[in-house]
Amino acid sequence: MSVALSGDFVVTWRGYSSFGNDNDVTSIQAQRYSSDGSAVGSQFQVNTYTSNSQWGSEVGLASDGSFVVVWTSAGSFGTDPERSIEGQRFAANGVPVGSQFQVNTYTPGHQQGGALAVVPDGSFVVVWQSDGSPGSDTSQASIQGRRYSSAGSPLGDQFQVNTYTTTKQWGPAVAAGPDGSFVVAWNSKESDGPDNVDSVQAQRFDSDGLPVGEQFEVNTYTSGLQQWPRVAIDGNRGFLVVWDSTGSLGSDQEGDSVQAQFFGPDGTRMGGEFQVNTYTSGTQFFPGVAVAPTGDFVVVWQSSGSSGSDTSYSSIQGQRVTYGVFADGFESGDTSAWSTVVP
């Protein structure tokens, strides 16, 4: 899901049937909503290439309400006969702009796990996991990226994000600032930092797509696995990376916990790594993060159990944070938390 400045938003998902013409295996479906949560128009099919499976969609909105969807496809109208990263642009009224397009130009092996960040002016960057690389990483899997203008034209060639190339790099996430600069975070099977198991790595880029500084390790807690990072940028104050950790420097010794680290606009650590979840029974995993209209960050995740009313099996938990200061936590559907003032 992604939200425009107006509060309108778009949700995409993988469908095992379609309101459109894709009834082969799975398709990418979408629905537009107004700021009050009312559906705008009907559910619609995103993909026009309909052979085999389509999955793993992400959507991003520009300030004018136009949007881009990317996903993984088992095939392509383009040059990639295997798994490819596909995209489609839409106007604010949901009408497709141009045709479905293949993002990746490097086609050996599988290209999958695409992530997307859209700049307010409509330009965007796509990152994904590649079996191999047109660059220096030929060990296992690498993180690749490609930038596009607001008109949908590629800005340069596909590029390799990671500089550490031993073993496997996977599961990328990306966030962009209002000036077009962006941050990519991903999992590394090993590390050139202190973590020699699964670590969270990141790289900053300027608005021209050039690396800013070197690749760096996000996590400082190095026991167990650090995985599934997500990142959000507050253009004025910096960015936040969240991830799933099998262990914690904090109070959660039960299982997986949700960890986070703030960084300033120049990439400097602001404080130390901290535990987001306060409910510590069972497993806390698969976090997501976004910047709220207040400039605070909202972290959500899946929990096996709940600090609230959902004790059936698993719940969706959330926490608002601002540079290490916690606001009240909330469960999905609890809107009272949004009125909390963060110091």
Side-chain angles (χ1 to χ4, degrees):
M1 185 183 78
S2 187
V3 183
L5 288 179
S6 64
D8 297 348
F9 59 98
V10 178
V11 180
T12 65
W13 66 94
R14 178 185 188 179
Y16 283 86
S17 59
S18 175
F19 279 8
N21 65 344
D22 189 349
N23 292 298
D24 190 357
V25 185
T26 58
S27 64
I28 304 300
Q29 300 290 306
Q31 176 66 61
R32 297 163 55 230
Y33 292 89
S34 66
S35 58
D36 65 2
S38 302
V40 177
S42 300
Q43 175 182 329
F44 60 95
Q45 179 181 304
V46 172
N47 58 290
T48 50
Y49 178 83
T50 60
S51 298
N52 304 316
S53 292
Q54 322 293 316
W55 73 94
S57 62
E58 285 210 4
V59 59
L61 273 76
S63 58
D64 64 358
S66 61
F67 58 99
V68 183
V69 185
V70 298
W71 67 95
T72 303
S73 174
S76 175
F77 281 137
T79 59
D80 195 340
E82 298 189 62
R83 292 182 183 178
S84 65
I85 304 299
E86 300 291 314
Q88 177 66 61
R89 298 166 57 232
F90 292 87
N93 61 1
V95 174
V97 177
S99 301
Q100 176 178 328
F101 59 94
Q102 180 182 303
V103 175
N104 59 289
T105 53
Y106 177 81
T107 60
H110 290 161
Q111 319 297 312
Q112 57 192 343
L116 168 74
V118 177
V119 181
D121 67 5
S123 60
F124 58 98
V125 59
V126 185
V127 297
W128 66 94
Q129 175 185 327
S130 172
D131 289 347
S133 172
S136 61
D137 191 348
T138 57
S139 60
Q140 289 185 24
S142 68
I143 305 302
Q144 301 290 312
R146 199 170 196 193
R147 297 166 57 240
Y148 288 84
S149 72
S150 58
S153 302
L155 296 173
D157 297 327
Q158 173 180 331
F159 60 93
Q160 181 179 300
V161 172
N162 58 291
T163 51
Y164 178 78
T165 60
T166 303
T167 68
K168 182 179 181 181
Q169 319 299 313
W170 56 284
V174 62
D179 63 350
S181 62
F182 56 99
V183 179
V184 185
W186 68 94
N187 289 117
S188 179
K189 199 66 182 174
E190 291 183 358
S191 168
D192 56 356
D195 194 342
N196 60 4
V197 192
D198 278 22
S199 67
V200 175
Q201 301 287 313
Q203 176 68 60
R204 298 165 57 228
F205 292 86
D206 66 18
S207 58
D208 293 321
L210 299 176
V212 178
E214 298 179 346
Q215 173 181 330
F216 58 95
E217 188 164 298
V218 174
N219 57 289
T220 52
Y221 178 80
T222 60
S223 298
L225 305 179
Q226 319 299 314
Q227 53 194 354
W228 304 116
R230 293 294 182 266
V231 59
I233 289 181
D234 173 353
N236 297 320
R237 298 184 296 177
F239 59 98
L240 177 67
V241 184
V242 300
W243 67 95
D244 174 334
S245 172
T246 56
S248 175
L249 289 170
S251 60
D252 192 347
Q253 304 301 320
E254 179 75 20
D256 287 24
S257 65
V258 177
Q259 300 290 313
Q261 175 69 60
F262 281 111
F263 295 87
D266 61 355
T268 303
R269 288 180 187 272
M270 298 182 66
E273 175 182 331
F274 62 96
Q275 180 182 302
V276 175
N277 59 291
T278 53
Y279 176 80
T280 60
S281 298
T283 300
Q284 320 297 314
F285 54 108
F286 294 140
V289 62
V291 180
T294 59
D296 306 316
F297 292 86
V298 181
V299 185
V300 295
W301 65 94
Q302 184 174 331
S303 171
S304 56
S306 172
S307 57
S309 59
D310 189 348
T311 57
S312 60
Y313 182 67
S314 63
S315 66
I316 304 301
Q317 299 288 312
Q319 180 73 62
R320 292 176 61 216
V321 298
T322 178
Y323 294 90
V325 179
F326 286 92
D328 291 343
F330 61 94
E331 281 191 274
S332 177
D334 179 5
T335 57
S336 63
W338 292 97
S339 63
T340 302
V341 176
V342 181

